[in-house]
Amino acid sequence: MGETGERGWGKVNSDTVKKGADRAPHRSLLKALGLTEREIARPFVGVVNSYTELVPGHMHLRQIADAVKAGIRENGGTPFEFSTVAVCDGLAMGHEGMHFSLASRELIADSVEVMAKGHQLDALVFIPNCDKIVPGMLMAALRLNLPAIFVSGGPMLPGRFEGKAVSLSTIFEGVGKVHAGLADESWLAGLELKACPTAGSCAGMFTANSMNCLTEALGLALPGNGTIPAVYSERIILAKESGFQVMNLLRQDIRPRDIVTERALKNGVALDMALGCSTNTILHLPAIAQEGQIPWRLAEVNQVSERVPQLCKLSPAGPHHLSDLHEAGGVSAVLKELLDAGLLDGDVPTVSGVTQAERLAKAAVLDEAVIRPLSRPYSARGGLKILFGNLAPEGAVIKQGALTEQDLVFEGTAKVFDGEAEVTRAIAKREIQAGDVVVIRYEGPKGGPGMREMLGPTSMLAGMGLDASVALLTDGRFSGASRGLSIGHVSPEAALGGAIAYVQSGDRVRIDLPQGRLDWLVSAEEEERRRQTTTLKVSRGGGYLGRYAQAVQSAAQGAAFKPVGEG
């Protein structure tokens, strides 16, 4: 935007609502907000705060927003705070509310577009926390392509119970222990008091923390964004610096699409593999790529996974939490390990105003128990694996980093359920046994609708000690807190006539991780017979979910809405 004029600003969008005689009515409204002439003359910066009183990850975001606004004002801007919808996945889990979680991502992106365009804002600071808010705001940033920076609310500290660190996934698994008779409700009540002790996104490497860490690798956040605990004053400083830095981005006309390129996305996938992030990242990255018109090929995830080892095992896969990762050097330390090994592109730009390599120059691993060196990784391959086969010709995803054996071949007998509620009852009744392959279908983006998370079933099985001997397959998705043989995003989904719609209880299913295969062991003739004799279930919901089901694409395309103009 050029260094013109006394303030160093070139043409800014907000001039269209405040310059000239024709804009006297607009200035009158701005003065009704209590703005001075000086404030009106400065660039207008949107502060997109996802604060809500319903989400523990957001309860402190007013303080973060105030710090962001202080940084903006210090560097010559006028901040305007506004909000978005925000669903707490933990509170929405296991009932009708989970239909709305992934679906809220598109509403978040749309609402930011409406506010930014409707008021002709010049730049944006995004303050997300929790699962769908981070990717929804990233989608908006790429769509609008205004100078922008991200500063999340940060992760929750883990609790302590019976001498061990605990988090939300611990208590979900605790429910399974109670159902298995391994613990009683009094024990569960004690854990309930300790599992979520502070504000912030839940303490493990779940979806929100995964995406907040990836935002550093993408270059859209300052170092520390993913790991500084929510309750640390260090995060308030980060928020002030982020508000200050967005004004520099505006001066230099550096925009999200200058930063988030195909190369930056590959850096994001590399970090994903090293950290062992949530499977949900494989939904969000392609949706972000679509907004930025960046090529995305699902099969290439496996290519990165084969090259990039897993250096961290964070809860629920391992004993460490985000606060441990922060003390060990944070995301920067992990990225530096990858950079030094030639596994990261260091020449990409960042919102820091320098390249990724330049801002990692002084990063170092401070605790090799948390961030292992490449010479002795937790595993030689990355945390996620994409599976293909006749049951998932468009792909499915497993968090292989949460398994004890990455070269596992598992063959079992299908037990088929149309929806999560049925399987939860079956697990509680002890009807699922070792060697079963639980198939949960009609939970996809279109068939759900909304692609619900299945943390309840996976956690119950883990609490019963069956997570390594029972496989779960779904055209829905799993929480970042899930572990074990949990395979999600099976595509095409049942509602679109994918093979998962025709599997019957008693069929054999084979999972071959070394070969990246997910196969239904029936003949081609039997598969065709079932296709001819099976009636697909069709979701006929109204309201937003009805519109969502009509517009959403396959999980293989990130469950993003179809581009405008497509049927």
Side-chain angles (χ1 to χ4, degrees):
M1 284 185 180
E3 295 292 325
T4 63
E6 291 184 0
R7 298 189 310 275
W9 312 112
K11 176 89 168 67
V12 291
N13 295 327
S14 59
D15 284 350
T16 61
V17 298
K18 65 190 184 187
K19 287 288 185 74
D22 290 346
R23 295 297 182 247
H26 304 67
R27 291 192 296 274
S28 180
L29 290 168
L30 291 169
K31 289 174 181 177
L33 291 171
L35 295 181
T36 66
E37 293 283 0
R38 292 184 303 279
E39 289 173 308
I40 293 171
R42 295 169 183 161
F44 288 177
V45 181
V47 178
V48 192
N49 183 3
S50 59
Y51 169 79
T52 166
E53 292 183 342
L54 276 165
V55 184
H58 297 188
M59 60 188 288
H60 62 307
L61 293 189
R62 284 175 169 169
Q63 187 177 26
I64 299 296
D66 285 344
V68 165
K69 289 186 282 189
I72 292 168
R73 292 189 183 103
E74 183 184 359
N75 202 7
T78 298
F80 293 89
E81 183 181 346
F82 61 92
S83 188
T84 67
V85 298
V87 174
C88 175
D89 278 32
L91 289 173
M93 197 73 65
H95 56 81
E96 178 189 18
M98 185 47 72
H99 288 293
F100 291 88
S101 174
L102 181 62
S104 73
R105 188 187 68 180
E106 320 307 310
L107 282 176
I108 291 162
D110 289 351
S111 66
V112 176
E113 178 186 8
V114 167
M115 293 297 288
K117 289 290 190 182
H119 302 98
Q120 291 292 285
L121 300 177
D122 301 310
L124 296 165
V125 180
F126 291 93
I127 308 176
N129 234 23
C130 301
D131 291 12
K132 307 311 165 297
I133 297 103
V134 191
M137 289 187 179
L138 284 165
M139 290 164 65
L142 271 291
R143 183 189 302 176
L144 291 163
N145 204 32
L146 295 170
I149 195 168
F150 280 69
V151 53
S152 76
M156 185 183 289
L157 291 175
R160 299 287 299 178
F161 183 68
E162 296 183 338
K164 297 179 181 178
V166 294
S167 65
L168 182 67
S169 62
T170 315
I171 193 162
F172 268 101
E173 292 181 13
V175 174
K177 288 184 178 181
V178 172
H179 280 295
L182 301 175
D184 59 25
E185 291 192 28
S186 175
W187 173 88
L188 189 64
L191 174 59
E192 180 182 321
L193 288 171
K194 300 294 185 179
C196 299
T198 71
S201 48
C202 297
M205 187 50 79
F206 314 140
T207 305
N209 292 327
S210 295
M211 292 305 302
N212 282 328
C213 288
L214 262 58
T215 304
E216 288 190 48
L218 295 177
L220 282 181
L222 297 178
N225 178 67
T227 60
I228 298 172
V231 294
Y232 282 17
S233 296
E234 189 179 353
R235 182 154 292 276
I236 297 173
I237 296 170
L238 179 72
K240 289 179 181 177
E241 294 292 353
S242 299
F244 189 93
Q245 184 60 16
V246 79
M247 302 308 297
N248 293 334
L249 296 172
L250 179 57
R251 284 189 180 95
Q252 298 162 26
D253 195 23
I254 297 173
R255 299 168 183 260
R257 293 193 192 183
D258 299 325
I259 295 170
V260 183
T261 60
E262 187 172 5
R263 293 158 61 199
L265 275 177
K266 288 180 179 178
N267 282 350
V269 176
L271 178 68
D272 195 327
M273 296 304 152
L275 290 178
C277 290
S278 165
T279 52
N280 284 310
T281 60
I282 303 303
L283 280 177
H284 302 320
L285 288 174
I288 294 162
Q290 178 175 295
E291 293 289 354
Q293 300 178 4
I294 304 166
W296 173 267
R297 291 165 287 273
L298 186 60
E300 290 186 6
V301 172
N302 283 342
Q303 296 174 19
V304 179
S305 183
E306 288 298 317
R307 293 188 301 109
V308 178
Q310 185 171 351
L311 304 182
C312 302
K313 261 205 170 174
L314 300 159
S315 174
H320 303 122
H321 294 81
L322 267 290
S323 54
D324 300 311
L325 178 59
H326 179 61
E327 298 302 330
V331 169
S332 292
V334 180
L335 292 175
K336 185 64 160 56
E337 288 289 296
L338 299 181
L339 179 68
D340 289 347
L343 299 172
L344 190 83
D345 188 334
D347 292 331
V348 294
T350 70
V351 290
S352 298
V354 298
T355 66
Q356 190 70 264
E358 288 170 325
R359 80 173 185 176
L360 295 175
K362 296 182 180 180
V365 175
L366 304 178
D367 186 345
E368 290 189 353
V370 179
I371 305 172
R372 287 193 177 181
L374 273 84
S375 59
R376 55 178 188 88
Y378 281 101
S379 62
R381 294 191 291 274
L384 299 181
K385 179 99 173 186
I386 309 301
L387 307 179
F388 296 92
N390 69 349
L391 194 50
E394 293 181 2
V397 63
I398 185 170
K399 192 173 184 178
Q400 65 179 358
L403 299 172
T404 54
E405 177 54 65
Q406 285 197 348
D407 290 321
L408 181 72
V409 177
F410 183 95
E411 185 176 319
T413 302
K415 286 189 176 176
V416 181
F417 301 88
D418 291 347
E420 179 190 15
E422 290 183 18
V423 72
T424 301
R425 287 192 291 269
I427 294 171
K429 291 178 181 178
R430 311 293 295 275
E431 294 173 0
I432 305 301
Q433 306 296 326
D436 287 344
V437 178
V438 177
V439 178
I440 312 171
R441 62 190 179 194
Y442 292 104
E443 290 285 7
K446 188 179 188 70
M451 205 177 183
R452 291 193 292 180
E453 285 186 347
M454 306 291 165
L455 179 56
T458 59
S459 297
M460 289 176 69
L461 289 173
M464 292 176 173
L466 293 172
D467 53 301
S469 58
V470 172
L472 279 85
L473 314 179
T474 182
D475 52 7
R477 58 195 179 89
F478 292 109
S479 166
S482 298
R483 59 188 173 99
L485 274 168
S486 304
I487 299 172
H489 311 186
V490 173
S491 300
E493 62 175 289
L496 292 176
I500 193 172
Y502 309 106
V503 179
Q504 295 178 0
S505 293
D507 290 348
R508 300 290 288 177
V509 174
R510 181 179 174 86
I511 302 161
D512 188 329
L513 289 184
Q515 298 298 316
R517 298 285 305 180
L518 177 60
D519 288 305
W520 175 30
L521 304 182
V522 297
S523 66
E525 292 78 14
E526 176 62 14
E527 179 179 349
E528 182 58 28
R529 185 190 70 78
R530 293 197 193 170
R531 287 182 180 275
Q532 295 298 325
T533 58
T534 302
T535 301
L536 299 179
K537 295 184 177 182
V538 180
S539 173
R540 301 191 183 280
Y544 175 60
L545 286 180
R547 297 195 300 275
Y548 178 87
Q550 292 176 2
V552 73
Q553 299 180 93
S554 165
Q557 284 78 48
F561 280 177
K562 301 181 184 94
V564 175
E566 291 191 10

